[in-house]
Amino acid sequence: MDYGLKNRLSRIIKPNDNRTVMLAIDHGYFMGPTSGLEDVKNSITPLLPYADSLMLTRGILRNQIDAGIDIPIVLRVSGGTSILKDDLSDEDITVSMEEAVRLNVSAVALSIFIGSKNEKQGIINLARLIDEGNKFGIPVLAVTAVGREMARDARYLSLAVRIAAETGASIVKTYYCEDFEKVINTCPVPVVVAGGKKTAERDALELAYNAVRSGAAGVDMGRNIFQSEKPVNMIKAVRAVVHEGLTAEEAYNTICNK
Ligand code: 5RP
């Protein structure tokens, strides 16, 4: 693997344990001012010391994140639709690779929608983005987005994840499901899980615990951290589960609920 690509990946997935806590705050690219992210700078700055990387759009990066903060950036480079549409799968590439290089990002992220009417468009966009990323040593994280009508089960998610990896993604993000080992064991690149909609802290920690126990490299979690009543405690607890091997119960009792 190319040195630059490998070096950038090692900034995201920590080589000492091959695990990562990615903080996702890119929701606004199709959801607008998401609850908990209205004032990004004030809500996110206290969380940054505990995140291994930050996933966001260029508008938020440029305007809300201090350029002096040392945190690897995973730049969301797909978009083109909004929650006002029934079908969210009609995405294209929204940021050039030159711009991603200028912003000094460690990876770029794009969604694919397997089974949707725009399935092909997403896969071809992913392939093009990977070709561009390879020119500059920038890894691509593929987000396997799930349409409302799709089942989030191991059969469907392993299909989506494997297609992303076969296309050349360096990391794949997906949802946790029953029999998650099947998704992990058939994917040749690291998999991270999204947190999904806000749930009770214990449940989100349980999801993180089960995901890493099944072989995931970690989490790319957003709402369950920044919408928590105690977001700093929550991200510390997620870290303890992902990097230190605490159970969800231990992390909840000793860190989250302190
Ligand atoms: C949207 C995304 C989000 O980054 C993702 O959903 C992670 O955030 P959350 O934990 O809130 O689900 O990729 O497509």
Side-chain angles (χ1 to χ4, degrees):
M1 198 194 290
D2 171 74
Y3 176 86
L5 196 112
K6 209 169 166 180
N7 179 264
R8 286 188 176 91
L9 267 180
S10 76
R11 298 201 66 217
I12 300 168
I13 299 177
K14 300 299 169 190
N16 58 331
D17 61 359
N18 287 321
R19 295 262 175 93
T20 187
V21 174
M22 305 174 66
L23 178 61
I25 60 162
D26 60 321
H27 306 63
Y29 90 94
F30 73 104
M31 290 168 68
T34 311
S35 168
L37 291 179
E38 296 88 345
D39 177 353
V40 177
K41 194 169 194 153
N42 278 327
S43 40
I44 295 310
T45 304
L47 306 178
L48 297 182
Y50 310 102
D52 292 320
S53 70
L54 184 63
M55 178 166 164
L56 77 181
T57 59
R58 70 170 150 186
I60 295 298
L61 179 62
R62 278 202 184 123
N63 298 305
Q64 302 278 290
I65 306 297
D66 181 345
I69 294 174
D70 181 18
I71 186 162
I73 297 299
V74 178
L75 190 69
R76 159 67 66 176
V77 298
S78 70
T81 187
S82 82
I83 42 168
L84 298 183
K85 301 279 179 194
D86 285 336
D87 181 5
L88 294 175
S89 68
D90 193 11
E91 287 199 354
D92 262 311
I93 296 171
T94 52
V95 182
S96 70
M97 201 54 75
E98 286 79 2
E99 169 82 332
V101 171
R102 200 175 298 124
L103 292 166
N104 197 27
V105 307
S106 296
V108 291
L110 169 143
S111 293
I112 57 170
F113 300 78
I114 301 303
S116 76
K117 67 177 179 200
N118 293 302
E119 174 183 276
K120 178 178 173 184
Q121 180 179 319
I123 296 171
I124 298 301
N125 283 338
L126 175 63
R128 291 200 175 122
L129 191 68
I130 290 164
D131 282 344
E132 282 301 299
N134 285 343
K135 291 183 195 164
F136 299 94
I138 306 236
V140 175
L141 180 153
V143 178
T144 57
V146 179
R148 288 185 193 98
E149 65 288 356
M150 305 291 174
R152 291 185 187 189
D153 60 20
R155 187 158 166 255
Y156 170 74
L157 292 177
S158 56
L159 171 78
V161 163
R162 181 62 176 258
I163 289 171
E166 298 258 357
T167 307
S170 293
I171 312 178
V172 183
K173 170 174 169 173
T174 192
Y175 293 92
Y176 180 74
C177 63
E178 255 181 56
D179 298 325
F180 198 61
E181 290 85 358
K182 183 178 174 219
V183 178
I184 297 290
N185 293 340
T186 54
C187 179
V189 298
V191 174
V192 290
V193 297
K197 282 189 184 150
K198 174 79 177 74
T199 55
E201 274 82 1
R202 271 175 203 273
D203 294 341
L205 291 169
E206 197 70 45
L207 177 143
Y209 178 78
N210 288 335
V212 293
R213 198 185 48 177
S214 305
V219 297
D220 186 9
M221 192 177 270
R223 288 163 288 183
N224 276 290
I225 294 174
F226 62 72
Q227 291 178 352
S228 167
E229 271 180 31
K230 296 178 182 171
V232 173
N233 286 13
M234 183 58 182
I235 193 168
K236 283 183 177 172
V238 172
R239 269 200 90 73
V241 167
V242 171
H243 284 299
E244 291 156 34
L246 265 67
T247 63
E249 195 62 21
E250 286 165 346
Y252 181 78
N253 290 332
T254 62
I255 305 170
C256 194
N257 201 25
K258 238 173 46 176

